[in-house]
Amino acid sequence: MLLERPGRGPTSLRAVDARDVEPGPGEIALDVTACGVCRTDLQLCRGELAPHRMPIIPGHQAVGRIAAVGQGVSQWRTGDRVGVAWLAQACGECTHCLERRENLCVHAAFTGWDRDGGYATRMLARADFALSLPESFDDFAAAPLLCGGVIGYRALLMSGIRPGRPLGLFGFGASALIAIQVARHWGCDVYVCTRSERERRRALDLGAKWAGGYDASPPEPLDAAVTFAPAGSVVAAALRSLDRGGTVAVNAIHLDGLPPLSYDDLWWERSIKSVANFTRDDARALLTLAAEIPIRTVIETHRVEDAALALDRLEAGEIDGAAVLATN
Ligand SMILES: [Zn+2]
Ligand SMILES: [Zn+2]
């Protein structure tokens, strides 16, 4: 499914017959079976996220089996099941990479943004950026872990939340659905703010201590909060809910803007921090934790040809859990 021109939305995705792709040195070719649908894909189709390359095949939560390995690849064999996530490559040499913060690499490339992604029957990936997946997850259950799961996990780390402490989740889509399961596993009291009544009920079902709208304040000051909604007003609401010394981690690659903030809300060493991408260490840690908890996600599947329908449903807030495309 090829995106040729951004700005016209998901319906501009077009099914094309591409030449079979062969792996170059250090690469693997993957027969994709499942690919998760993410808000970032939607923002790319809408033109809200500036394109890096056109045309592009979106999709950065791909699961499949290795069909061929390129020269120099020794860690994988044909037939191995792997996941391919958002971070497609990093240089390994810049100061950020050397400090184990490859998510900040200035030469990083991203799946479905710089490199063709998983809305396809076959794709290429760098062998050293492919991920092993826990046995206990089938292809469809594993896909949503690869972006929503991993980035939500990094956002929890960035928020500085400690086990057993009060945490706020603002917005309650696919990523928050996984983050709440991790936070509950750590024994945190979780407070959820979201516009949708249905999502509030789901949050309570998953063990949230309280759920309300964005205009309601959690009944207890929060040590940390993670915002998932791509709206600056939600970041401001999260900031107002923090206890002294608390942090808001903003889990968004694109935000509609930031309203003027009152310095009184930031005073007492409160902070706002953006969360950019994730490292392979984050991904491996989350995948291990996901099997341990175990994390459960409600999946709705669509055929890859119906990617536009899945993205429309995501935009309309109609998806309970995560949408995954069946690609073979
Ligand atoms: Zn994503
Ligand atoms: Zn680097």
Side-chain angles (χ1 to χ4, degrees), residues 86-91 102 105 107-111 115 126 128-129:
W86 175 242
L87 186 66
Q89 64 187 70
C91 76
E102 62 189 7
C105 175
H107 304 294
F110 301 97
T111 311
R115 291 180 61 122
R126 278 253 310 244
D128 50 348
F129 282 77

Side-chain angles (χ1 to χ4, degrees), residues 21-29 68-73 115 123-127:
V21 285
E22 296 300 330
E27 289 185 332
I28 54 172
V69 297
Q71 206 188 341
V73 174
R115 291 180 61 122
M123 70 182 289
L124 296 176
R126 278 253 310 244

Side-chain angles (χ1 to χ4, degrees), residues 37-41 60-61 86 146-148 151:
V37 172
C38 177
R39 185 164 292 278
T40 303
D41 307 336
H60 54 271
Q61 308 183 79
W86 175 242
L146 291 171
C147 181
I151 192 94

Side-chain angles (χ1 to χ4, degrees), residues 9 11-12 17 83-84 111 126 143 149 184 186 202 211 238 251 264 290 318:
T11 49
S12 63
D17 252 329
V84 178
T111 311
R126 278 253 310 244
R184 291 292 301 132
W186 289 342
R202 203 178 308 143
N251 181 349
D264 289 343
E318 287 167 354

Side-chain angles (χ1 to χ4, degrees), residues 28-220:
I28 54 172
L30 197 69
D31 279 334
V32 184
T33 51
C35 187
V37 172
C38 177
R39 185 164 292 278
T40 303
D41 307 336
L42 183 64
Q43 290 170 340
L44 187 67
C45 292
R46 287 242 170 278
E48 293 160 354
L49 183 66
H52 277 183
R53 205 198 82 192
M54 281 291 148
I56 185 96
I57 301 171
H60 54 271
Q61 308 183 79
V63 177
R65 275 158 197 78
I66 294 177
V69 297
Q71 206 188 341
V73 174
S74 55
Q75 68 268 57
W76 304 112
R77 286 168 194 209
T78 305
D80 285 350
R81 183 173 83 135
V82 292
V84 178
W86 175 242
L87 186 66
Q89 64 187 70
C91 76
E93 291 167 357
C94 70
T95 48
H96 305 300
C97 280
L98 292 174
E99 288 170 353
R100 299 189 81 79
R101 295 198 294 173
E102 62 189 7
N103 61 307
L104 304 181
C105 175
V106 285
H107 304 294
F110 301 97
T111 311
W113 198 17
D114 300 286
R115 291 180 61 122
D116 281 333
Y119 287 20
T121 51
R122 185 172 280 204
M123 70 182 289
L124 296 176
R126 278 253 310 244
D128 50 348
F129 282 77
L131 299 160
S132 293
L133 301 169
E135 292 282 330
S136 49
F137 290 88
D138 68 23
D139 296 358
F140 290 87
L145 299 173
L146 291 171
C147 181
V150 179
I151 192 94
Y153 173 72
R154 184 171 179 87
L156 289 175
L157 298 183
M158 291 293 108
S159 80
I161 188 66
R162 287 165 298 152
R165 303 298 304 164
L167 169 77
L169 301 180
F170 288 71
F172 205 67
S175 189
L177 278 167
I178 296 174
I180 192 174
Q181 296 178 62
V182 174
R184 291 292 301 132
H185 182 69
W186 289 342
C188 297
D189 287 334
V190 182
Y191 300 87
V192 172
C193 288
T194 181
R195 198 165 31 198
S196 147
E197 179 59 39
R198 198 166 68 174
E199 287 177 357
R200 279 179 234 158
R201 275 199 305 273
R202 203 178 308 143
L204 293 170
D205 287 346
L206 283 166
K209 198 168 178 187
W210 173 94
Y214 291 127
D215 48 352
S217 261
E220 179 184 5

